[in-house]
Amino acid sequence: MKQPLPILLSTLLVTTSAAYADSPWSVAGGVIAVDSPYANTDTKVMALPMVNYQGEKLTLRGYTLDYTLLQQHGFSWSATLAPGQFFDSSDSDNPAIKALNERKMSLYAGTKVSYAANFGRLNASVTHDILGHSDGLKFNGDYNYSIIFSKELILTPFIGVVINSSKVSNYYYGVAAGESTSYAPYQLGSTVNYNAGLLLRYQLNKNWHLNGLVKYTQLDTDIEDSPIVDSDNIATTMLSVSYQF
């Protein structure tokens, strides 16, 4: 099954960021395991290649693009572009799930603000599905604080929230009228998912870095109650190695 990409991207955004070399370019390869909330769909383990670029205004991290519009005194405002989640129903072992329509990948564009200080970093973004699959909005907010044990080892705990508009919630977790002969139509309102986790970054040498992540996402009760969902949470683990030129 193709896994919800916001989970993957939030992982990649932090664990592939580079901070120890002069070059703006880095590459990374990782293995990630993500639980599926959809009924009778196994945890997916995937290998993901990544290319990262950190310029003066333009930033590419994994599969997300940011362009800084304003930056001063720890505050930044940027335009952002990122793919969203998707679900191939044929990956489920449940015939009723297999018969559902595919939930296609969306592309979200919008604006993001960040503030960094000695107490940590706050991020918030509002984006819209510009491909029109769900034609909905998302709000993402998170807080993280890096604990520097040494030059080599940094641990970063984080907490976050993702708010999906009713259009996004229904497209990915609802059942449309006439879509299924097994499930009654199911409609959701806006949904709120909470997450928390821990990132680890270890500097092997000037160019090589080892990154690890564990993350837990608590799903909204409306998502839990969907007939096509059989879990109230999603667990994510990841291990990656990055090289900065």
Side-chain angles (χ1 to χ4, degrees):
M1 186 206 79
K2 278 67 173 187
Q3 299 299 324
L5 276 186
I7 301 170
L8 307 186
L9 291 170
S10 63
T11 302
L12 305 182
L13 287 179
V14 184
T15 59
T16 61
S17 62
Y20 296 102
D22 296 329
S23 172
W25 291 97
S26 66
V27 294
V31 176
I32 187 166
V34 186
D35 290 345
S36 171
Y38 295 96
N40 303 111
T41 306
D42 295 334
T43 296
K44 186 71 173 182
V45 179
M46 294 174 289
L48 293 174
M50 293 158 277
V51 177
N52 309 290
Y53 174 79
Q54 179 69 62
E56 183 177 349
K57 291 184 177 294
L58 185 66
T59 301
L60 171 66
R61 293 194 181 110
Y63 305 99
T64 294
L65 193 66
D66 287 337
Y67 185 82
T68 301
L69 303 170
L70 175 67
Q71 187 170 22
Q72 59 181 7
H73 308 301
F75 172 84
S76 66
W77 172 42
S78 62
T80 185
L81 184 68
Q85 70 194 81
F86 58 110
F87 172 58
D88 186 346
S89 54
S90 65
D91 287 334
S92 175
D93 296 328
N94 187 326
I97 299 294
K98 285 179 178 289
L100 296 173
N101 298 330
E102 179 185 3
R103 273 59 173 167
K104 296 180 180 180
M105 179 186 290
S106 297
L107 186 64
Y108 290 86
T111 186
K112 176 182 176 182
V113 293
S114 300
Y115 182 72
N118 55 9
F119 60 79
R121 184 179 183 91
L122 291 166
N123 303 291
S125 67
V126 178
T127 56
H128 182 262
D129 173 10
I130 60 175
L131 296 185
H133 296 315
S134 70
D135 200 30
L137 292 166
K138 277 182 174 289
F139 169 82
N140 287 266
D142 68 82
Y143 166 76
N144 65 76
Y145 180 80
S146 293
I147 304 170
I148 302 174
F149 288 93
S150 66
K151 179 183 177 182
E152 293 78 20
L153 179 62
I154 301 175
L155 292 180
T156 305
F158 63 89
I159 56 174
V161 62
V162 178
I163 302 175
N164 299 317
S165 71
S166 59
K167 289 183 177 181
V168 174
S169 302
N170 277 303
Y171 182 75
Y172 290 105
Y173 301 109
V175 180
E179 179 181 7
S180 173
T181 58
S182 301
Y183 302 118
Y186 182 77
Q187 297 292 308
L188 300 85
S190 58
T191 56
V192 183
N193 300 329
Y194 299 96
N195 61 75
L198 180 67
L199 293 161
L200 177 148
R201 182 177 177 88
Y202 186 77
Q203 182 181 7
L204 299 172
N205 55 43
K206 180 181 178 181
N207 301 103
W208 289 96
H209 307 91
L210 180 67
N211 312 291
L213 172 138
V214 291
K215 181 178 180 180
Y216 174 87
T217 299
Q218 179 64 49
L219 298 175
D220 188 280
T221 54
D222 278 358
I223 297 177
E224 295 176 39
D225 292 339
S226 171
I228 66 175
V229 170
D230 65 0
S231 177
D232 64 356
N233 66 83
I234 298 172
T236 305
T237 56
M238 180 180 177
L239 183 66
S240 70
V241 176
S242 60
Y243 178 83
Q244 187 159 13
F245 299 97

